[in-house]
Amino acid sequence: MKIKQNIRLSEYNTFKTGGNAKFFCEVKNEGELIEAIKFAKNNNLKFIVIGNGSNLLIKDEDYLGLVIKMSIKGKDIDSKNDVYTIVSTCAGESFDGFISFVVSKGLSGIENLWNIPGTVGASVVQNIGAYGTEVKDYIVSVEGIDADSLNKFIYKNENCNFGYRESTFKKNKNLIITKVFFKLNNAFIPNLEYPALKDYFLDKKNISIKEVIKAIGKIRKNKLPDWKVLGTAGSFFKNPIISEKEYSDILLKYPSLPKYLAETGFVKIPLGFVLDKICGLKGFKIGKVGLYEKQSLIIVNYGGASYFEINNFAKIIEEKVYEKIKIKIEREVEVI
């Protein structure tokens, strides 16, 4: 492992923002991760761990600590019975690469998460979800290193406190994930409850897992920007989860606002609908920053926008939503 200095962080995140990291390293096993943490501690440096940087908004000023890029790789079949298979994968693997691996082994369950940029470790931290599937529903356990003690930890699913884009690991950055165990199905049963998928396969039978993956790729391409071309971190905001009472109050003024089931007594409302239909912000843009024309949950850096510009733009969106429906929306993107 080599500790580098003054590395430009805009090259390590999909929003393409950020100053330099005073120190930077890439770790390829747990030993190197521990070595990197020790370097930070011995030099009184703060540190952060990143994956592919696809859910980050990095500030313009230099990061005066150590940035650790998680690059621990490896995946394997651990056990199998007639119904399911336990598969392990390291945190530095790309999530798409992991999906391709399990599909090649005839396994299913996480295919609806296809084409989400990011690593396996980051997917767990964020509890990614798309098209009716959340990653938490297939996780058995999570392994990693506790940066406080430098000891190894193993958390079972029920100890990870998974919620909507939340987990124990998002709240406690000292718990650094290195490996994840998944329980996947041997038999493929397509999950087509999401409206766009249901419409895509309308009246079609005997659907294969590869057809589902192909469909999701097409739907996402038509709806989302290419992060390799435009700076973005995907959905910038969470869909609000509000009480039934709050929803009823908003409905009096905006009767067409949809809702989706959440935990008892609460509903989830589509923020994209709020931004487009209630706030009239479809395609809204200021300078180099804007809401993506095909999906308003996404903020786009159209080229050369700074953290300052993106952050200010997001504040304007937050204010406009509160002005209309009196709901404080939360950011999904993490700020460094």
Side-chain angles (χ1 to χ4, degrees), residues 152-167:
K152 190 164 186 169
F153 67 79
I154 301 175
Y155 276 33
K156 291 184 178 179
N157 183 298
E158 56 267 30
N159 302 125
C160 296
N161 294 315
F162 288 121
Y164 174 49
R165 305 296 175 267
E166 292 290 344
S167 71

Side-chain angles (χ1 to χ4, degrees), residues 30 34 37 41 143-154 174-176:
E30 287 187 350
I34 292 171
I37 296 168
K41 288 186 173 185
E143 291 185 2
I145 300 296
D146 185 333
D148 275 340
S149 64
L150 297 181
N151 292 330
K152 190 164 186 169
F153 67 79
I154 301 175
N174 285 312
L175 298 175
I176 304 170

Side-chain angles (χ1 to χ4, degrees), residues 41-195:
K41 288 186 173 185
N42 291 340
N43 290 278
N44 294 316
L45 297 170
K46 57 184 179 179
F47 70 88
I48 53 169
V49 179
I50 65 171
N52 287 345
S54 58
N55 194 49
L56 299 178
L57 177 58
I58 302 180
K59 293 182 179 180
D60 301 321
E61 60 264 28
D62 292 345
Y63 183 79
L64 302 179
L66 172 66
V67 175
I68 303 171
K69 179 169 171 52
M70 174 58 67
S71 295
I72 301 177
K73 303 289 180 70
K75 41 193 181 289
D76 202 5
I77 302 294
D78 285 79
S79 64
K80 187 171 186 174
N81 63 24
D82 293 338
V83 179
Y84 62 81
T85 298
I86 305 298
V87 185
S88 63
T89 179
C90 293
E93 291 282 351
S94 78
F95 203 82
D96 266 4
F98 177 55
I99 292 176
S100 295
F101 172 74
V102 299
V103 169
S104 74
K105 301 297 182 182
L107 305 174
S108 67
I110 57 173
E111 59 279 351
N112 284 24
L113 302 176
W114 176 253
N115 214 208
I116 297 177
T119 58
V120 169
S123 76
V124 178
V125 172
Q126 189 71 3
N127 182 26
I128 60 171
Y131 304 104
T133 297
E134 282 189 314
V135 73
K136 71 176 178 63
D137 297 328
Y138 296 91
I139 291 172
V140 177
S141 60
V142 179
E143 291 185 2
I145 300 296
D146 185 333
D148 275 340
S149 64
L150 297 181
N151 292 330
K152 190 164 186 169
F153 67 79
I154 301 175
Y155 276 33
K156 291 184 178 179
N157 183 298
E158 56 267 30
N159 302 125
C160 296
N161 294 315
F162 288 121
Y164 174 49
R165 305 296 175 267
E166 292 290 344
S167 71
T168 292
F169 314 103
K170 189 171 182 178
K171 294 171 183 173
N172 185 350
K173 300 299 186 184
N174 285 312
L175 298 175
I176 304 170
I177 298 169
T178 56
K179 183 181 281 191
V180 187
F181 291 80
F182 289 84
K183 181 180 179 180
L184 300 172
N185 304 319
N186 296 343
F188 172 58
I189 302 173
N191 175 3
L192 306 179
E193 291 305 307
Y194 192 83

Side-chain angles (χ1 to χ4, degrees), residues 140-304:
V140 177
S141 60
V142 179
E143 291 185 2
I145 300 296
D146 185 333
D148 275 340
S149 64
L150 297 181
N151 292 330
K152 190 164 186 169
F153 67 79
I154 301 175
Y155 276 33
K156 291 184 178 179
N157 183 298
E158 56 267 30
N159 302 125
C160 296
N161 294 315
F162 288 121
Y164 174 49
R165 305 296 175 267
E166 292 290 344
S167 71
T168 292
F169 314 103
K170 189 171 182 178
K171 294 171 183 173
N172 185 350
K173 300 299 186 184
N174 285 312
L175 298 175
I176 304 170
I177 298 169
T178 56
K179 183 181 281 191
V180 187
F181 291 80
F182 289 84
K183 181 180 179 180
L184 300 172
N185 304 319
N186 296 343
F188 172 58
I189 302 173
N191 175 3
L192 306 179
E193 291 305 307
Y194 192 83
L197 280 175
K198 188 179 288 186
D199 291 344
Y200 188 97
F201 289 109
L202 195 64
D203 298 327
K204 183 173 174 56
K205 297 180 180 179
N206 300 317
I207 300 160
S208 72
I209 190 168
K210 290 187 177 178
E211 286 178 306
V212 170
I213 288 173
K214 184 178 180 181
I216 288 170
K218 283 185 176 180
I219 293 167
R220 290 182 71 86
K221 186 176 181 180
N222 290 333
K223 186 179 178 182
L224 307 175
D226 184 347
W227 59 270
K228 294 175 183 175
V229 178
L230 293 174
T232 181
S235 296
F236 196 94
F237 301 105
K238 298 179 182 180
N239 287 308
I241 295 177
I242 61 176
S243 69
E244 290 275 12
K245 173 66 168 59
E246 287 175 300
Y247 177 71
S248 297
D249 290 343
I250 297 171
L251 214 58
L252 292 173
K253 192 172 182 181
Y254 304 105
S256 61
L257 176 63
K259 70 172 181 178
Y260 303 97
L261 293 177
E263 57 264 37
T264 305
F266 292 85
V267 297
K268 183 188 292 184
I269 59 173
L271 184 59
F273 182 96
V274 173
L275 295 173
D276 288 352
K277 308 296 184 184
I278 295 177
C279 298
L281 293 174
K282 187 177 180 67
F284 179 63
K285 185 179 178 184
I286 299 176
K288 303 169 186 175
V289 187
L291 297 178
Y292 189 57
E293 58 187 7
K294 296 181 180 179
Q295 172 52 275
S296 293
L297 276 180
I298 295 172
I299 291 179
V300 174
N301 177 354
Y302 284 102

